[in-house]
């Protein structure tokens, strides 16, 4: 009798461990290279239906894997439970052109909510009313399990409106949104899922930050998306165009001038082999990663021409600094289990402006300082749903700081001084 009871206890513990309630959230492919005039993001927000097809064959009113930007799942509840979803977008759920932020394209995110025995259920599924998140809606909602073991949602990109008759604007509810022919439209969306029903040992909150990228081409009738899966966004601060040379030179303060974010989505395509081709980044004063700028970073007076000598009266040098993940973090995937979904880069990087690399991608070398080092992203592994394969992506986001050199003379020409910092990404 005692042996039977013991066996039953062991069996009960094993079953409990195998059915632990756990959260999942991850990005999908619909966020990058979006054609902002595309007709393929017109999912019926009241009755969305999934089709197993590609985006360019998607009928209006439906959605597919290629139009999904993320997915989330609370699995293994076994009893009544709930999860809360929070969505944020600093640009107000608009794609915004980096070169001119007057050009914006509104979008929405449709959360298609289902419940069942598990995400792989084929019967007994309950569908809640879809929840549309955009600039006019609340950005937080709660889903009740209603006795089901699992809650999950597909997040689908919605592009409201239609192309104007002249092909240069998007018209939404009678309002025109003019768009310039650019490929630098960006937005960043953060989606969080949290629940108190999660078992001990697992995080009660998961978040994923997804940079969106888009383009607009008024001269093209091709409505396909850009196949590039790499997003780079640069947001400058007012300080970048209002540096006080004397004050910063005297104080040696590192002034924040920009934030840069790099995101590269791999999907299920995990890199294999001994040499994982992770992205590598650096900053320089040259627009080519292979040709060094001999003078490095220099603020030059507006009077300085191509042949004008650079002196202490018309120029001042500076360095640029930021933070990087370690190379090991770029090589080995980190499972997304932290509360913010990203972690933080902590390795310092300093660039003098004369750095360059070779076509083989060796580390950028500073001729003046003899230093060399890339900025590395973090390599993530995540699941959108409990029964899905893992997805992989690289992500790096950090602030850019400039520190001016001490003035070598007490006098500099009054006026405007300018320079350009270039951000290079190398990926094999």
């Amino acid at each position: 009798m005692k042996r039977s009871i013991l066996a039953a206890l062991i069996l009960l513990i094993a079953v409990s461990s195998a059915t632990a309630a756990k959260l999942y959230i991850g990005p999908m492919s619909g966020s990058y290279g979006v054609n902002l005039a595309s007709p393929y993001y017109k999912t019926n927000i009241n009755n969305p239906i999934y089709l197993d097809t590609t985006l360019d064959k998607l009928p209006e009113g439906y959605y597919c894997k290629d139009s999904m930007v993320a997915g989330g799942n609370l699995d293994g509840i076994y009893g009544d439970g709930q999860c809360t979803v929070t969505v944020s977008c600093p640009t107000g759920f608009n794609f915004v052109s980096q070169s001119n932020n007057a050009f914006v394209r509104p979008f929405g995110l449709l959360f298609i909510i289902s419940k069942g025995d598990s995400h792989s259920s084929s019967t007994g599924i309950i569908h809640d009313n879809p929840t549309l998140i955009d600039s006019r809606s609340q950005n937080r909602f709660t889903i009740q399990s209603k006795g089901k073991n699992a809650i999950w949602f597909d997040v689908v990109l919605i592009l409201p409106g239609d192309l104007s008759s002249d092909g240069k604007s998007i018209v939404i509810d009678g309002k025109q949104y003019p768009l310039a022919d650019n490929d630098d439209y960006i937005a960043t969306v953060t989606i969080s899922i949290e629940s108190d029903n999660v078992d001990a040992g697992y995080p009660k909150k998961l978040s994923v930050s997804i940079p969106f990228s888009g383009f607009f081409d008024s001269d093209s009738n091709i409505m396909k998306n850009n196949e590039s899966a790499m997003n780079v966004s640069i947001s400058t601060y007012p300080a970048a165009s209002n540096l006080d040379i004397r004050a910063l030179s005297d104080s040696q303060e590192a002034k924040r001038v920009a934030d840069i974010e790099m995101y590269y989505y791999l999907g299920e395509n995990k890199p294999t082999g001994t040499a994982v081709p992770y992205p590598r980044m650096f900053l320089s004063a040259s627009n080519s990663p292979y040709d060094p700028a001999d003078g490095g970073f220099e603020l030059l007076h507006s009077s300085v021409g191509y042949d004008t000598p650079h002196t202490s009266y018309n120029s001042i040098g500076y360095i640029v600094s930021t933070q990087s993940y370690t190379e090991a973090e770029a090589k080995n995937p980190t499972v997304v289990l932290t509360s913010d979904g990203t972690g933080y880069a902590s390795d310092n990087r300093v660039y003098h402006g004369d750095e360059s690399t070779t076509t083989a991608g060796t580390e950028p070398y500073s001729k003046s300082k003899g230093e060399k080092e890339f900025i590395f992203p973090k390599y993530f592994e995540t699941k959108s749903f409990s029964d899905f394969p893992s997805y992989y992506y690289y992500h790096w986001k950090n602030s850019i700081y400039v520190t001016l050199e001490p003035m070598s003379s007490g006098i500099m020409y009054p006026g405007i001084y300018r320079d350009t910092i270039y951000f290079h990404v190398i990926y094999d």
Side-chain angles (χ1 to χ4, degrees):
M1 180 66 69
K2 289 182 179 178
R3 291 179 181 174
S4 297
I5 293 172
L6 181 60
L9 286 172
I10 293 172
L11 177 61
L12 177 62
I13 292 169
V15 171
S16 176
S17 175
T19 56
K22 186 178 178 182
L23 291 170
Y24 301 84
I25 193 166
M28 299 182 75
S29 62
S31 66
Y32 60 82
V34 176
N35 185 333
L36 300 186
S38 172
Y40 302 124
Y41 298 93
K42 306 296 184 187
T43 306
N44 186 325
I45 62 174
N46 297 311
N47 184 32
I49 300 174
Y50 179 83
L51 282 184
D52 187 11
T53 185
T54 55
L55 190 65
D56 58 339
K57 297 178 181 178
L58 189 67
E60 184 170 331
Y62 293 79
Y63 75 100
C64 66
K65 194 173 181 179
D66 291 341
S67 61
M68 291 172 60
V69 300
N73 186 193
L74 171 60
D75 204 9
I77 304 169
Y78 289 90
D80 287 334
Q82 67 178 34
C83 66
T84 299
V85 179
T86 306
V87 190
S88 63
C89 177
T91 56
F93 296 94
N94 291 297
F95 283 94
V96 179
S97 171
Q98 291 186 86
S99 54
N100 187 338
N101 59 17
F103 295 108
V104 300
R105 204 286 188 220
F107 68 90
L109 297 176
L110 187 66
F111 285 74
I112 301 168
I113 303 162
S114 305
K115 304 154 189 179
D117 292 334
S118 69
H119 179 257
S120 58
S121 300
S122 57
T123 59
I125 299 176
I126 299 174
H127 298 289
D128 279 5
N129 291 329
T131 297
L132 179 65
I133 302 293
D134 59 19
S135 61
R136 300 166 294 181
S137 67
Q138 297 292 321
N139 67 338
R140 184 180 177 90
F141 61 94
T142 298
I143 309 169
Q144 305 287 340
S145 69
K146 298 180 180 178
K148 293 295 184 178
N149 299 336
I151 299 167
W152 64 92
F153 52 80
D154 300 341
V155 188
V156 178
L157 177 62
I158 302 291
L159 292 182
D162 298 292
L163 194 62
S164 61
S165 57
D166 64 2
K168 297 184 182 299
S169 301
I170 299 295
V171 182
I172 303 174
D173 297 332
K175 182 178 180 180
Q176 286 202 344
Y177 293 86
L179 293 177
D181 289 349
N182 290 325
D183 61 359
D184 64 352
Y185 291 87
I186 63 167
T188 299
V189 171
T190 299
I191 303 173
S192 300
I193 179 172
E194 56 186 309
S195 174
D196 289 333
N197 301 108
V198 175
D199 286 6
Y202 297 103
K204 294 183 179 295
K205 179 180 179 181
L206 288 180
S207 298
V208 62
S209 181
I210 308 170
F212 287 35
S213 64
F215 71 95
F216 181 73
D217 186 352
S218 60
D219 295 326
S220 175
N221 293 321
I222 299 174
M223 289 299 171
K224 290 185 178 180
N225 285 2
N226 188 336
E227 295 182 356
S228 172
M230 183 175 289
N231 297 353
V232 176
S233 64
I234 301 175
S235 301
T236 57
Y237 284 85
S241 56
N242 191 30
L243 297 173
D244 186 327
I245 290 179
R246 181 174 293 279
L248 292 175
S249 178
D250 290 344
S251 68
Q252 290 293 282
E253 175 190 355
K255 196 70 173 178
R256 186 182 187 182
V257 295
D259 289 341
I260 302 181
E261 184 168 15
M262 191 285 300
Y263 170 87
Y264 189 41
Y265 179 77
L266 299 171
E268 299 176 34
N269 302 316
K270 180 181 181 180
T272 58
T274 55
V276 176
Y278 46 87
R280 292 145 292 168
M281 303 160 282
F282 71 99
L283 298 145
S284 82
S286 172
N287 62 2
S288 168
Y290 311 119
D291 299 319
D294 291 334
F297 291 124
E298 281 186 301
L299 285 167
L300 299 178
H301 190 265
S302 56
S303 65
V304 175
Y306 180 77
D307 296 325
T308 306
H310 299 182
T311 70
S312 60
Y313 299 102
N314 63 15
S315 66
I316 186 169
Y318 63 95
I319 60 172
V320 176
S321 59
T322 188
Q323 286 76 44
S324 169
Y325 292 107
T326 65
E327 189 170 6
E329 289 175 295
K331 291 181 177 179
N332 304 300
T334 298
V335 178
V336 176
L337 286 177
T338 58
S339 61
D340 65 356
T342 57
Y344 297 93
S346 58
D347 275 15
N348 290 326
R349 295 289 186 269
V350 175
Y351 295 98
H352 304 275
D354 60 346
E355 289 83 4
S356 65
T357 184
T358 68
T359 52
T362 57
E363 289 182 295
Y365 179 73
S366 168
K367 292 191 301 182
S368 61
K369 299 296 180 181
E371 299 171 359
K372 56 180 182 179
E373 203 150 29
F374 277 120
I375 300 165
F376 298 110
K378 197 166 188 177
Y379 180 22
F380 287 101
E381 174 183 351
T382 187
K383 282 190 175 188
S384 299
F385 309 106
S386 51
D387 59 327
F388 263 40
S390 290
Y391 293 122
Y392 300 89
Y393 63 97
Y394 297 103
H395 183 262
W396 175 82
K397 181 179 181 179
N398 231 290
S399 299
I400 307 300
Y401 296 85
V402 301
T403 306
L404 270 60
E405 295 177 354
M407 292 174 59
S408 57
S409 66
I411 300 174
M412 292 185 69
Y413 296 146
I416 301 299
Y417 289 74
R418 294 187 178 90
D419 197 23
T420 301
I421 301 170
Y422 293 93
F423 178 66
H424 303 286
V425 183
I426 298 171
Y427 186 71
D428 297 330

